[in-house]
Amino acid sequence: MAMTSSVIQTPIARKISTNAVIRTILANGPISRADIAKLTGLSKQTISEVVRDLEDDGWLKPVGQTDGRPGRNAIIYEINARAGLAVSIDLGGTKIAAAICDLLGNVVAETKVATDPRGGMHLVNQFSDLLVELALAAGTTADKLRLAVLGTPGVLDPVTGHINVAPNIPGIDAINLQQVFSDRMGITVIVENDVNLAAQGERWQGHGVETGNFAFVALGTGVGMGIIANGTLLRGARGAAGEIAYLPIGGDAFDPGGFTLGTFESAVGSVAMLRRYTGFGGRDASTVADLFAAFDAGDTSAVAAIEETARLVAVAIAAIGATLDPELVITGGSIGSRPELVDAIRRFLPRCTPYPPRIEISRFGNRAALMGGVGIAVQRMHDDLFGVKLRDV
């Protein structure tokens, strides 16, 4: 009986080979089979078989040929990014932002709508309609989405699936939002605190790429913090690590009214800033955008309101620094993205702490949580489909 030189790989060996090929293409971009073989150490025969299977299944696609080399031109392959699509949703008290991304993290469709003020199940209906419309804009259908990552204020109770400590969104604590939304759309739904998502977004592609110890502080309608400690998201015993809205700063820590919104949030959130502006004699500012416009115009009441807000935030960051010793604090949100406020915070910090951390404004602006959701979605798709984690690449 004639012997054959082909090597029959076991299922485990083939999975390892496939993992190596996918990881190499993700790390290097468009590449030939010969170059994959050089980088992985796998045989040319194994590479050919793996690439053929991945191409047949739609995960790889040819994008051209090598040129300028001796010998025959070789086909170049890249990941077929559209073979996997997911959605990231950032649920806020007034706005819902959503984006569909592909396997490489490219955003292929994005939208923003007003949050249904009725909350509860009305939000599930809104999410469902949003996914249908967004999928259409992306040239696909909602049933082709592989998963959804939902960022919300508050803390997810892993037992009940209810989201607690989210006073700006009514009824969200009365339903298992993750389960109901998943059942409605027929896809896996990952629910995460929105500020934790923002921190993970910075870790993925923002200012946090180069450091494993930083805090993301969101300032807007509400306030919150996501913590990356030694390269890992810090959740705490009940998943509430980073709920800085309840820091005893800016008001009477023993006032039970602070148990709802939080003492610190009540002092520096958008409502508090407008109230402070009016108290200092300001007029004609119905939104925070109006307040910053007045600041830019030299309105002394606006200057005073922003300076006082910055002073309180600086005290909070000093407390964060003393507790966590982060290398970096990244600010974001509708207020935290404003350089007028952040510049003032930088001025106050050395006056209230001997070791002020570096402060940077998020590269994503108001899209930090949305992009964090994209990063989580891409990581989950890579892991589920190929067994490859982003940090492996």
Side-chain angles (χ1 to χ4, degrees):
M1 185 175 181
M3 297 293 290
T4 176
S5 60
S6 66
V7 177
I8 305 298
Q9 285 196 314
T10 66
I12 293 177
R14 176 51 63 92
K15 184 175 181 179
I16 293 172
S17 299
T18 301
N19 180 297
V21 170
I22 289 292
R23 181 184 299 158
T24 301
I25 298 174
L26 286 171
N28 294 277
I31 190 171
S32 69
R33 286 177 293 185
D35 286 337
I36 296 173
K38 291 177 183 177
L39 292 170
T40 62
L42 296 170
S43 70
K44 291 183 179 179
Q45 178 181 333
T46 297
I47 295 297
S48 295
E49 292 174 354
V50 170
V51 168
R52 183 187 64 238
D53 290 345
L54 288 170
E55 185 179 4
D56 289 345
D57 291 340
W59 302 116
L60 295 184
K61 64 179 182 180
V63 290
Q65 294 184 329
T66 60
D67 54 17
R69 298 185 184 183
R72 296 167 52 186
N73 290 347
I75 298 174
I76 296 175
Y77 294 90
E78 72 176 9
I79 298 292
N80 179 14
R82 295 279 300 199
L85 298 173
V87 63
S88 171
I89 303 173
D90 178 19
L91 170 63
T94 59
K95 298 288 184 181
I96 298 174
I100 289 179
C101 66
D102 64 23
L103 273 176
L104 297 181
N106 303 308
V107 173
V108 297
E110 185 173 346
T111 190
K112 183 179 289 186
V113 298
T115 305
D116 191 321
R118 295 172 295 179
M121 284 299 299
H122 298 285
L123 293 175
V124 178
N125 298 333
Q126 192 172 22
F127 295 156
S128 302
D129 293 342
L130 197 58
L131 261 60
V132 171
E133 296 170 8
L134 201 58
L136 182 63
T140 186
T141 54
D143 63 310
K144 297 295 193 299
L145 299 174
R146 292 184 174 274
L147 75 148
V149 179
L150 174 62
T152 77
V155 180
L156 175 68
D157 185 324
V159 177
T160 66
H162 296 182
I163 297 169
N164 303 316
V165 200
N168 294 321
I169 303 179
I172 198 173
D173 58 345
I175 60 173
N176 186 331
L177 183 60
Q178 182 176 29
Q179 188 64 54
V180 174
F181 185 26
S182 178
D183 290 346
R184 174 72 63 86
M185 300 307 300
I187 58 176
T188 298
V189 174
I190 299 170
V191 176
E192 178 64 274
N193 173 268
D194 52 1
V195 189
N196 283 347
L197 275 186
Q200 292 177 91
E202 292 289 338
R203 178 76 168 131
W204 178 43
Q205 286 188 344
H207 289 294
V209 168
E210 300 299 327
T211 177
N213 290 281
F214 70 90
F216 182 97
V217 175
L219 302 168
T221 303
V223 303
M225 179 173 67
I227 306 161
I228 301 295
N230 298 325
T232 302
L233 179 69
L234 184 63
R235 295 185 179 279
R238 294 174 295 276
E243 287 295 327
I244 59 171
Y246 297 93
L247 282 174
I249 294 172
D252 181 1
F254 292 93
D255 180 355
F259 287 11
T260 302
L261 292 179
T263 303
F264 182 53
E265 181 174 310
S266 298
V268 301
S270 56
V271 172
M273 290 185 69
L274 289 171
R275 184 175 63 245
R276 187 171 290 124
Y277 171 65
T278 302
F280 288 151
R283 299 178 180 178
D284 302 325
S286 58
T287 67
V288 172
D290 296 335
L291 171 58
F292 279 101
F295 176 93
D296 293 337
D299 184 327
T300 56
S301 297
V303 171
I306 289 174
E307 287 281 306
E308 177 62 13
T309 302
R311 186 183 70 83
L312 293 172
V313 174
V315 172
I317 292 177
I320 293 165
T323 307
L324 299 174
D325 189 27
E327 178 182 340
L328 168 69
V329 172
I330 303 169
T331 62
S334 58
I335 297 172
S337 298
R338 299 295 303 231
E340 304 95 326
L341 178 70
V342 175
D343 287 344
I345 293 170
R346 290 190 181 112
R347 290 199 313 272
F348 279 113
L349 264 177
R351 296 166 56 184
C352 61
T353 175
Y355 305 108
R358 179 164 60 95
I359 310 294
E360 297 287 353
I361 297 174
S362 172
R363 290 175 177 166
F364 302 126
N366 290 338
R367 299 171 70 241
L370 190 68
M371 294 309 297
V374 168
I376 295 299
V378 172
Q379 179 172 316
R380 179 65 177 265
M381 285 194 292
H382 287 186
D383 196 22
D384 287 350
L385 296 172
F386 311 126
V388 177
K389 294 185 181 295
L390 287 181
R391 289 291 165 185
D392 292 337
V393 176

